[in-house]
Amino acid sequence: MRIREVAVETQAVHPLAPDHIPGYVAGADGSDVLFTAMTIFGIALIIGLGVLYLTLHAIPERMAHKSSHPQLQIVGILALLALFTHNNLFWVAAVLVAGFQFPDMLSPLQSIARSLASLAGRPVEEDIPEADAPSPTFHHRDGEG
């Protein structure tokens, strides 16, 4: 029996093994705590950076949506172009379009037209809704130029 106890003691601790093995050293069973932790950290970092990138690209659309911007579709298209082409100029243009309201140019022109029509003695037409407004037709004359 004595021989068996000595054999167990020699297998338990190798004489060249240090007293304390750090936790990041892979175990004998193949488990690697550091590799597992870094894999989870790497996946979380990639997902976090992706969410940050997509959130950053959505800023112009959020700005335009909050202010009920009339050019919401243009802002959305510019933001998508910036996302897919990686061209920052489109993103900057989307931020600028979303940040500034363009002035209403049609109302003063309609007022001027009504005033001129009343001065000329013509009947003053009411505002024409945009959906019923006729589209301009362009005539191209061949041979002149």
Side-chain angles (χ1 to χ4, degrees):
M1 277 233 184
R2 183 83 175 140
I3 295 173
R4 189 178 266 171
E5 289 177 10
V6 172
V8 171
E9 285 180 15
T10 57
Q11 289 177 358
V13 178
H14 193 273
L16 296 176
D19 293 336
H20 172 70
I21 298 177
Y24 57 83
V25 175
D29 59 349
S31 64
D32 192 355
V33 178
L34 183 63
F35 177 73
T36 305
M38 292 309 295
T39 302
I40 292 171
F41 175 74
I43 291 171
L45 183 68
I46 290 171
I47 290 173
L49 287 175
V51 167
L52 178 69
Y53 182 73
L54 293 175
T55 303
L56 186 67
H57 271 280
I59 287 175
E61 288 180 282
R62 288 183 184 177
M63 287 172 53
H65 188 58
K66 282 182 185 176
S67 65
S68 298
H69 204 280
Q71 285 89 10
L72 179 63
Q73 291 180 348
I74 294 173
V75 172
I77 289 169
L78 286 172
L80 278 176
L81 280 173
L83 179 67
F84 291 129
T85 62
H86 302 292
N87 191 348
N88 294 334
L89 186 62
F90 290 126
W91 189 83
V92 170
V95 169
L96 290 175
V97 170
F100 298 109
Q101 293 285 340
F102 293 108
D104 181 22
M105 296 291 192
L106 187 60
S107 295
L109 291 176
Q110 286 178 346
S111 175
I112 292 170
R114 280 193 302 271
S115 299
L116 289 174
S118 67
L119 286 174
R122 295 182 189 159
V124 179
E125 297 179 11
E126 295 297 319
D127 290 338
I128 300 172
E130 289 184 25
D132 298 331
S135 61
T137 57
F138 298 101
H139 301 285
H140 181 66
R141 296 182 185 180
D142 291 332
E144 291 183 22

